[in-house]
DNA sequence: ATAGGGTTAG
């Protein structure tokens, strides 16, 4: 019992930022000012019968002060010092309740005594990009503030967030509102988000409709707009729709090599090689010469099929036609060979690239580091990581993600955290992919202290937890027998309007079943049907 | 946002 209590206490910081109403477990265990005399009681449905989950301590002296730094940002402490910034205050208000609709958010913010500014709105929209109700609430509230005006960029972010959650009616409403402002608020950037989100939501016809109606919003139906939509469709594995669009507007809109390359890419990704080749012929008929991008699409396809003989054929063809491979081409081939466990062949590509005088870039180095790590050559990977900086190529978020993921895969916990620290020193902003391997490692090794630290690190870096990350947490915690926490993350995920994946749900249910946690099972079942019902609306 | 960004777990 003691051990369990200790575990949960470690989550104090993270929990204190969460909604107590929604999550009684967290509230009860994590409120440091809790003065009730009763011992903090878990909601009965979340109680677990097993008590033998002891966490392993994980203390690295050299990282201690860094980790401490994050603890100092405990908002409960800040609250008592009354030194909150406006942004912190708004965040707290937004998180205090699980608002049922944006209107309630507006009401809550009205009593908040904060003044709206573009900077504040921009940052909060970023923090709540995975939580559309508070985002839209804040957005609506800000509009009512005297002297405040949304920038077009802020409008575009809001359009994007609504599209991400498939709130297409609200999204369109916002676009019309922008149009009514009559200040050129609706641009191709706006409509590009609209079309991409519609395509992502499998609403292909509506995406095409949006393109047809571009002039209604004062946006020109030019080649760039068409290429954007075709790209959006092609990326969603709907090369057919992209091609239809091409046929419909062929003649109305000026074509470019890019138009054909988007189509070729779409066909290659959809593994429709014949169609890709036909499009390449069509490209020639229109007077365009296939370029390095066109050929690279085919190379990528054959790499995916691990047909390296074909890859060589295309490389040969390029050579004959005087079309030189570039760093992207080389990266694709090297990466594929490395993934296919042909590490030596992959390194030959590196040598060939060098002898061709083609300079490696950050993405190339990231790939090289990735395949070396995958081949177990950690020291070589580390050497390349150091060398790239000497060559004047700076690591970016992908490079760091690769290094961190590799360190985690090899159970180098200390190294992984040091890399995260290094990233911070380099002012390289982490994203959710940075944290995924770290979180997974913590769940697996039951490093609850570090998990807690990582969650606060994410929050501070405006990385919100997405569906995939929640799934990872629930899965990982289930495997480590931390069912209460798994349940509470599941609950939080549903409360944020996300629909858990079936696999996640099944795994949690099975674990609960095995541990005879009938009450919890019932609750999770209810949450799941709630989430599904909401999705259908 | 015309091509490169690691399925996956034991």
């Amino acid at each position: 019992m003691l051990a369990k209590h200790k575990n949960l206490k470690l989550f104090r910081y993270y929990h204190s930022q969460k909604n107590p109403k929604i999550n009684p477990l967290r509230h009860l265990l994590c409120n440091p000012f809790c003065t009730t005399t009763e011992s903090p009681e878990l909601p009965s449905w979340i109680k677990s019968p097993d008590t033998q989950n002891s966490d392993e301590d994980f203390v690295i002296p050299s990282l201690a002060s860094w980790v401490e730094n994050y603890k100092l940002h405990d908002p409960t402490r800040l609250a008592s010092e009354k030194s909150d910034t406006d942004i912190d205050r708004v965040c707290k208000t937004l998180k205090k309740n699980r608002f049922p609709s944006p209107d309630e958010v507006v009401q809550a913010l009205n009593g908040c005594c904060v003044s709206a500014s573009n900077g504040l709105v921009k940052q909060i929209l970023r923090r709540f990009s995975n939580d559309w109700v508070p985002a839209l609430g804040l957005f609506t509230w800000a509009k009512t503030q005297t002297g405040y005006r949304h920038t077009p960029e802020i409008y575009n972010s809001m359009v994007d967030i609504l599209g991400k959650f498939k709130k297409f009616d609200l999204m369109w409403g916002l676009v019309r509102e922008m149009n009514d402002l009559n200040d050129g608020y609706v641009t191709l950037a706006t409509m590009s988000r609209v079309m991409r989100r519609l395509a992502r939501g499998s609403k292909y016809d509506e995406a095409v409709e949006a393109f047809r109606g571009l002039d209604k919003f004062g946006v020109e139906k030019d080649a760039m707009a068409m290429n954007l939509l075709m790209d959006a469709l092609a990326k969603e594995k709907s090369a057919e729709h992209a091609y239809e669009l091409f046929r419909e507007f062929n003649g109305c809109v000026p074509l470019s090599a890019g138009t054909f390359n988007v189509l070729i890419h779409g066909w290659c990704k959809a593994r429709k090689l014949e169609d890709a080749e036909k499009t390449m012929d069509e490209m020639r008929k229109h007077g365009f010469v296939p370029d390095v991008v066109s050929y690279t699409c085919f190379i990528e396809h054959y790499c995916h099929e691990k047909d390296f003989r074909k890859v060589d054929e295309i490389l040969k063809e390029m050579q004959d036609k005087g079309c030189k491979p570039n760093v992207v081409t080389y990266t694709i081939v090297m990466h594929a060979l490395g993934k296919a466990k042909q590490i030596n062949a992959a390194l030959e590509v590196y040598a060939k690239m060098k002898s061709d005088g083609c300079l490696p870039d950050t993405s190339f180095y990231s790939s090289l580091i990735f395949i070396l790590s995958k081949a177990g050559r950690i020291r070589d990977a580390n050497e390349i990581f150091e060398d790239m900086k000497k060559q004047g190529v700076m690591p970016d978020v992908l490079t760091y993600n690769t290094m961190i993921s590799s360190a985690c895969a090899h159970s180098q916990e200390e190294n992984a955290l040091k890399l995260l620290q290094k990233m911070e020193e380099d002012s390289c902003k982490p994203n959710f992919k940075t944290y995924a391997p770290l979180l997974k490692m913590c769940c697996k090794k039951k490093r609850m202290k570090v998990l807690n630290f990582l969650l606060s690190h994410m929050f501070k870096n405006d990385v919100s937890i997405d569906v995939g990350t929640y799934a990872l947490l629930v899965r990982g915690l289930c495997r480590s027998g931390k069912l209460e926490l798994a349940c509470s993350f599941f609950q939080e995920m549903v409360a944020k309007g996300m629909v858990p994946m079936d696999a996640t749900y099944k795994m949690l249910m099975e674990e609960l079943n095995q541990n005879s946690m009938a009450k919890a099972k019932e609750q999770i079942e209810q949450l799941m049907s709630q989430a599904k019902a909401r999705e259908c609306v």
Side-chain angles (χ1 to χ4, degrees):
Chain A
M1 203 56 199
L2 241 169
K4 188 207 280 181
H5 190 76
K6 193 180 118 213
N7 293 348
L8 291 162
K9 239 176 100 181
L10 296 173
F11 276 81
R12 196 157 84 185
Y13 168 63
Y14 177 63
H15 288 171
S16 60
Q17 301 183 26
K18 298 290 154 184
N19 173 358
K21 270 206 186 120
I22 264 297
N23 205 326
L25 160 73
R26 291 176 172 182
H27 175 64
L28 286 169
L29 289 166
C30 306
N31 184 355
F33 307 119
C34 186
T35 51
T36 56
T37 43
E38 311 116 276
S39 63
E41 197 65 43
L42 294 175
S44 54
W45 68 270
I46 231 168
K47 214 177 261 182
S48 156
D50 79 283
T51 50
Q52 53 207 20
N53 278 315
S54 66
D55 296 331
E56 321 225 345
D57 274 330
F58 181 53
V59 182
I60 306 163
S62 62
L63 294 177
S65 66
W66 178 52
V67 171
E68 268 316 301
N69 245 330
Y70 280 86
K71 286 200 186 136
L72 283 175
H73 286 90
D74 186 329
T76 53
R77 240 188 266 188
L78 284 173
S80 61
E81 289 165 15
K82 294 201 180 354
S83 62
D84 275 10
T85 64
D86 277 1
I87 290 186
D88 288 334
R89 273 222 300 282
V90 173
C91 277
K92 250 186 242 170
T93 308
L94 293 180
K95 278 176 176 283
K96 205 161 59 194
N97 289 295
R98 177 51 51 186
F99 296 103
S101 79
D103 287 342
E104 275 88 349
V105 181
V106 175
Q107 278 172 30
L109 285 169
N110 280 334
C112 197
C113 298
V114 199
S115 60
S117 71
N118 288 149
L120 177 130
V121 175
K122 211 173 119 187
Q123 177 141 13
I124 304 230
L125 285 189
R126 228 161 65 143
R127 278 199 190 176
F128 287 83
S129 64
N130 274 321
D131 214 350
W132 73 273
V133 174
L136 184 58
L138 171 95
F139 180 88
T140 313
W141 166 82
K143 266 193 297 203
T144 67
Q145 299 304 105
T146 42
Y148 177 87
R149 194 163 188 201
H150 285 315
T151 61
E153 289 71 35
I154 287 175
Y155 263 108
N156 288 346
S157 311
M158 196 64 237
V159 164
D160 198 53
I161 294 172
L162 291 172
K164 185 152 121 192
F165 284 86
K166 304 189 182 168
K167 303 288 161 198
F168 296 127
D169 289 344
L170 289 169
M171 178 185 80
W172 278 118
L174 209 57
V175 174
R176 281 192 295 271
E177 181 185 315
M178 291 170 78
N179 198 38
D180 292 343
L181 289 173
N182 256 339
D183 258 337
Y185 263 58
V186 181
T187 60
L188 185 57
T190 317
M191 296 311 288
S192 151
R193 286 163 205 244
V194 168
M195 294 188 295
R196 279 191 191 283
R197 288 305 180 187
L198 287 169
R200 174 87 50 103
S202 311
K203 305 220 176 258
Y204 307 122
D205 296 334
E206 211 177 318
V208 175
E209 252 345 282
F211 175 74
R212 286 209 184 90
L214 277 185
D215 20 26
K216 272 190 287 190
F217 301 110
V219 178
E220 209 185 328
K221 246 187 269 180
D222 57 6
M224 204 195 268
M226 185 175 83
N227 288 0
L228 267 170
L229 174 58
M230 281 188 4
D231 185 57
L233 293 167
K235 289 228 167 84
E236 294 310 313
K237 296 200 180 85
S238 186
E240 281 88 357
H241 284 88
Y243 192 66
E244 265 172 43
L245 193 77
F246 164 71
R247 292 185 41 150
E248 184 182 334
F249 288 91
N250 182 8
C252 315
V253 166
L255 300 173
S256 65
T259 313
F260 292 97
N261 284 339
V262 166
L263 284 170
I264 291 172
H265 183 228
W267 292 126
C268 284
K269 277 261 144 101
R271 301 168 165 216
K272 305 221 160 137
L273 259 271
E274 277 177 26
D275 292 300
E277 272 154 15
K278 268 189 223 155
T279 302
M280 187 119 120
D281 286 339
E282 215 165 330
M283 181 179 186
R284 289 193 185 97
K285 272 186 216 140
H286 278 85
F288 296 103
V289 181
D291 58 13
V292 60
V293 177
S294 332
Y295 286 112
T296 302
C297 291
F298 284 95
I299 288 182
E300 189 191 11
H301 171 263
Y302 288 118
C303 278
H304 193 248
E305 306 265 290
K306 297 200 179 81
D307 189 346
F308 294 112
R309 208 178 46 82
K310 263 298 207 187
V311 170
D312 279 339
E313 265 175 37
I314 296 175
L315 285 169
K316 177 79 175 38
E317 189 184 335
M318 287 172 76
Q319 201 177 24
D320 293 345
K321 300 235 162 93
C323 177
K324 278 183 114 168
N326 64 16
V327 62
V328 178
T329 321
Y330 285 118
T331 307
I332 290 170
V333 178
M334 179 186 70
H335 193 94
L337 284 166
K339 260 172 76 176
K341 300 200 170 134
Q342 304 189 30
I343 186 75
N344 288 328
L347 295 176
E348 276 167 31
V349 173
Y350 179 29
K352 172 83 167 58
M353 183 175 97
K354 267 189 177 164
S355 71
D356 279 356
C358 174
L359 290 174
D361 62 7
T362 302
S363 287
F364 179 87
Y365 276 119
S366 301
S367 252
L368 183 54
I369 289 169
F370 172 74
I371 62 168
L372 285 170
S373 314
K374 195 163 169 75
R377 292 164 68 163
I378 308 296
R379 277 168 68 175
D380 289 335
N382 285 333
E383 215 168 275
I384 295 288
F385 182 64
E386 292 309 321
D387 190 57
M388 67 186 279
K389 290 180 256 183
K390 280 184 209 135
Q391 303 297 322
V393 182
M394 283 306 142
D396 68 358
V397 60
L398 177 64
T399 322
Y400 273 109
N401 288 359
T402 309
M403 291 292 292
I404 288 174
S405 173
S406 152
C408 290
H410 294 90
S411 284
Q412 298 181 353
E413 299 164 65
E414 180 171 352
N415 237 332
L417 287 171
K418 277 189 174 162
L419 282 160
L420 185 66
Q421 189 186 29
K422 191 102 204 315
M423 216 171 160
E424 204 172 278
E425 285 165 14
D426 284 3
S427 329
C428 177
K429 251 191 153 340
N431 58 25
F432 72 95
K433 284 183 182 164
T434 313
Y435 295 102
L438 291 162
L439 294 171
K440 216 192 260 176
M441 177 180 72
C442 289
C443 290
K444 193 168 163 189
K445 296 189 174 286
K446 300 185 190 173
R447 309 290 199 202
M448 293 299 112
K449 222 179 207 169
V450 187
L451 182 54
N452 176 34
F453 157 75
L454 287 171
L455 292 167
S456 36
H457 197 273
M458 282 175 84
F459 186 76
K460 258 207 76 190
N461 283 286
D462 297 329
V463 177
S464 51
I465 313 182
D466 69 328
V467 198
T469 310
Y470 273 116
L472 169 164
L473 286 167
V474 173
R475 255 194 340 250
L477 291 167
C478 267
R479 277 200 198 101
S480 292
K482 309 231 167 261
L483 296 181
E484 307 98 320
L485 274 171
C487 285
S488 70
F489 279 118
F490 191 93
Q491 187 183 31
E492 190 176 293
M493 170 183 197
V494 174
K496 281 195 183 173
M498 300 173 184
V499 184
M501 291 179 276
D502 273 333
T504 313
Y505 171 65
K506 274 190 193 137
M507 177 171 193
L508 182 54
M509 289 297 274
E510 213 160 280
E511 286 294 324
L512 291 172
N513 204 24
Q514 274 171 25
N515 288 278
S516 319
M517 293 165 73
K519 264 267 170 59
K521 226 182 104 184
E522 210 175 283
Q523 291 286 334
I524 294 295
E525 213 168 357
Q526 241 177 50
L527 284 168
M528 189 67 185
S529 47
Q530 221 181 74
K532 284 217 160 149
R534 214 175 24 209
E535 192 191 30
C536 294
V537 175

